[in-house]
Amino acid sequence: MRCHWSDMFTGRLRSEIPPALISLGDALIAAGAQLVELDLSDNAFGPDGVRGFEALLKSPTCYTLQELKLNNCGMGIGGGKILAAALKECHRKSVAQGKRLALKVFVAGRNRLENDGATALAEAFGIIGTLEEVHMPQNGINHPGITALAQAFAINPLLKVINLNDNTFTEKGAVAMAETLKALRQIEVINFGDCLVRSKGAVAIADAVKEGLHKLKELNLSFCEIKRDAALTVAEAIEDKTELEKLDLNGNCLGEEVCEQLHEILEGFNMASVLGSLSDDEGDEEEEEEEDEEEEEEEDEQQQLKERGAEEQESLTPKKIFDSQASTPVPSPPVDVATFLAFPSPEKLLRLGPKCSVLIAQQTDTSDVEKVVATLLRISSVFKDEASVKTAVHETTDALMKKAFSSATFNSDAFITNLLVHMGLLKSEEKIKTVPSLYGILMTLNHMVQQDYFPKSLVPVLSAFVTKPNRALDSCSFARHMLLQTLHQL
């Protein structure tokens, strides 16, 4: 039996969802159903929602479960821990009954699991041992959580697909994952795009690819701040990968000359067709930049852990991968407002420094609605649930929009119309390029509408368009639900 219950609770209050899930679960248990697939994706139920189907997961109905899909549900760390405990209990009971749980596919992207949630799930994965596909993109997981997942993946020899796109590996996480890849023989898809593996991490992954992975079909290391030599090492590593269909190195720091070298290397292997577009390459940069950023990031991570307290630090960070001594801070290369707005990223926004909000507001012509909307969309595009990034996005948005709305010449009606057009929620007679993902702008709007500077006259307009069915909103049900709840309370 397969339960396809994705996007089922749109527009419902979060408090209404757990009782509904409990009732559905009880019905399945009473009927003696044998579930093969449970899909609850795109339901913004949060940690409490996981409680709603916890009993179902622990019941004999799920001993036969092969696919569990919980994409974009807003589970958070708490929900991740509840889910992990339920899976472990299901496995324990199923083994005792001689019907061992053999989960094959696990999907939990965009759930803000972070290190604690990922580490808890990693423990469950290590016990289960039968996974073939794991999709956990955009969860705010840093190297401690990535390392825990890597150790769990090593105990799942049937793994074919690993998708951890848009988490933060750094070198430590990438090296740990590379060691695991050496032990896996069935891997077909590796998606570590936008994971900040950097050059050293890319070389480690390339070594793992070169040593084995003969069934590899796709390798995604895009937008990872990989430099020249490391990218060439990756290209050389795929020489005998006859099954490979796609190599994605877009959005790294290569430069025109290295891009040409990549094409030449792959042409020499008769594999030129597997190389994806390099149109978003950020150009050649000084090698020192990589080291500067790496040391600064490790310093920041250690400082954050210290502030959380020694107890939490120990639970979040595996002892194997964390040094007690902080590295010497090295100043990062400066970033200006123009660079950030041209190629926005969370790292660039943070590197603008504490005055980033003032700088961006000062350099934006707030009398021009188009420019204000474009700047707002670029700021919101880097939104993440990581505290430092979220705060920077909120503060920068506040400075920009407070300046705009307080200007006598600023047309707020034209602003909301223009914004809705760029979000793909309102049609335009002109050809307008809409934003690829609405998650960032929806979460940013959720903050904006609660501020004193936001005109209350725009609330019903925004609410009407966010409420209407629209494909552009389908993949962002959690952010949509959050915004609608806030708008209804205003």
Side-chain angles (χ1 to χ4, degrees):
M1 181 177 178
R2 298 178 184 272
C3 290
H4 294 162
W5 293 344
S6 62
D7 200 15
M8 198 166 60
F9 298 107
T10 302
R12 296 287 182 182
L13 293 175
R14 186 180 291 185
S15 59
E16 296 177 300
I17 300 175
L21 288 171
I22 290 170
S23 297
L24 288 167
D26 288 347
L28 289 173
I29 295 169
Q34 300 283 287
L35 275 188
V36 174
E37 178 182 358
L38 176 60
D39 186 354
L40 283 164
S41 298
D42 300 318
N43 288 304
F45 47 57
D48 291 340
V50 184
R51 291 283 188 200
F53 62 91
E54 181 183 15
L56 174 64
L57 276 182
K58 294 178 179 180
S59 74
T61 295
C62 285
Y63 291 175
T64 53
L65 193 64
Q66 294 181 16
E67 299 181 26
L68 179 58
K69 299 175 181 177
L70 299 166
N71 200 57
N72 193 32
C73 290
M75 290 190 292
I77 295 172
K81 288 182 175 181
I82 296 167
L83 177 62
L87 287 172
K88 288 190 289 184
E89 181 69 5
C90 179
H91 182 270
R92 185 187 67 78
K93 288 182 175 180
S94 67
V95 170
Q97 293 294 319
K99 302 175 182 178
R100 186 187 184 94
L101 173 67
L103 189 67
K104 294 180 180 180
V105 177
F106 180 84
V107 181
R110 303 185 78 165
N111 271 292
R112 300 173 294 128
L113 295 170
E114 301 181 21
N115 288 332
D116 270 5
T119 301
L121 285 167
E123 187 177 340
F125 295 163
I127 292 170
I128 293 168
T130 56
L131 288 167
E132 295 181 12
E133 294 186 24
V134 175
H135 302 264
M136 296 174 66
Q138 203 172 3
N139 269 299
I141 307 170
N142 298 324
H143 71 79
I146 295 297
T147 300
L149 286 172
Q151 292 166 354
F153 291 165
I155 314 171
N156 285 263
L158 301 177
L159 264 175
K160 296 178 181 178
V161 178
I162 301 177
N163 176 6
L164 294 173
N165 189 284
D166 199 8
N167 288 292
T168 308
F169 282 45
T170 65
E171 179 193 343
K172 290 182 177 181
V175 168
M177 194 61 70
E179 286 302 309
T180 286
L181 289 174
K182 292 177 181 178
L184 299 175
R185 297 294 177 221
Q186 306 300 320
I187 288 291
E188 296 178 4
V189 177
I190 298 172
N191 186 346
F192 298 159
D194 202 14
C195 282
L196 210 64
V197 304
R198 295 201 172 112
S199 292
K200 290 181 180 178
V203 169
I205 292 168
D207 288 343
V209 170
K210 190 170 185 178
E211 288 184 22
L213 305 186
H214 296 294
K215 295 183 179 181
L216 189 64
K217 294 180 179 179
E218 181 178 334
L219 175 59
N220 185 346
L221 294 175
S222 60
F223 298 93
C224 281
E225 295 192 9
I226 298 170
K227 304 295 171 59
R228 299 164 299 204
D229 294 342
L232 296 176
T233 300
V234 171
E236 290 166 354
I238 66 168
E239 180 178 2
D240 61 344
K241 303 299 173 279
T242 55
E243 300 293 319
L244 194 70
E245 298 171 1
K246 184 177 180 181
L247 171 63
D248 194 345
L249 290 170
N250 199 17
N252 287 300
C253 310
L254 310 180
E256 188 175 341
E257 183 181 340
V258 176
C259 289
E260 290 176 0
Q261 284 181 276
L262 285 173
H263 282 287
E264 290 173 4
I265 290 172
L266 294 174
E267 281 176 359
F269 301 156
N270 197 26
M271 297 175 71
S273 62
V274 306
L275 184 62
S277 169
L278 296 172
S279 59
D280 291 323
D281 182 64
E282 294 197 6
D284 192 8
E285 297 179 10
E286 293 296 323
E287 289 293 333
E288 287 78 15
E289 183 179 343
E290 178 185 344
E291 302 301 327
D292 292 348
E293 290 176 350
E294 204 163 325
E295 291 189 53
E296 182 189 9
E297 183 181 68
E298 289 187 17
E299 187 74 10
D300 289 344
E301 288 176 356
Q302 291 185 16
Q303 184 61 37
Q304 287 171 9
L305 287 168
K306 285 178 183 177
E307 291 172 357
R308 291 181 186 181
E311 207 171 318
E312 185 177 357
Q313 176 177 342
E314 198 166 323
S315 69
L316 278 176
T317 312
K319 294 180 181 179
K320 293 180 182 178
I321 60 166
F322 194 85
D323 270 61
S324 59
Q325 296 181 348
S327 56
T328 305
V330 180
S332 294
V335 171
D336 57 22
V337 172
T339 302
F340 167 73
L341 293 177
F343 302 101
S345 72
E347 292 74 25
K348 289 192 182 80
L349 181 62
L350 294 176
R351 280 165 50 199
L352 279 171
K355 293 184 178 179
C356 64
S357 57
V358 177
L359 293 171
I360 291 177
Q362 285 177 344
Q363 296 185 37
T364 303
D365 181 3
T366 50
S367 65
D368 188 329
V369 168
E370 281 276 2
K371 288 182 179 177
V372 172
V373 169
T375 302
L376 174 62
L377 289 172
R378 285 181 170 85
I379 295 168
S380 64
S381 71
V382 306
F383 180 92
K384 286 188 175 183
D385 287 307
E386 294 173 19
S388 57
V389 177
K390 184 192 293 187
T391 300
V393 169
H394 287 172
E395 290 179 351
T396 308
T397 298
D398 289 342
L400 173 68
M401 298 314 304
K402 188 173 183 179
K403 179 185 174 186
F405 284 127
S406 63
S407 171
T409 58
F410 188 72
N411 188 329
S412 58
D413 291 332
F415 162 77
I416 199 69
T417 300
N418 196 290
L419 179 62
L420 290 169
V421 168
H422 280 83
M423 290 172 68
L425 305 183
L426 180 63
K427 291 183 179 179
S428 171
E429 294 180 1
E430 301 176 11
K431 285 188 176 180
I432 300 291
K433 185 178 180 182
T434 58
V435 292
S437 170
L438 294 182
Y439 181 78
I441 185 60
L442 289 173
M443 294 300 285
T444 303
L445 282 169
N446 186 53
H447 168 80
M448 275 178 57
V449 299
Q450 299 177 65
Q451 308 310 309
D452 291 338
Y453 61 73
F454 190 83
K456 300 307 175 190
S457 61
L458 300 183
V459 169
V461 179
L462 185 58
S463 181
F465 279 92
V466 176
T467 303
K468 287 172 62 177
N470 192 299
R471 288 184 180 179
L473 293 165
D474 288 347
S475 63
C476 304
S477 62
F478 171 74
R480 179 191 197 181
H481 181 77
M482 292 285 289
L483 177 55
L484 284 174
Q485 272 194 322
T486 301
L487 290 170
H488 290 155
Q489 291 167 7
L490 294 174

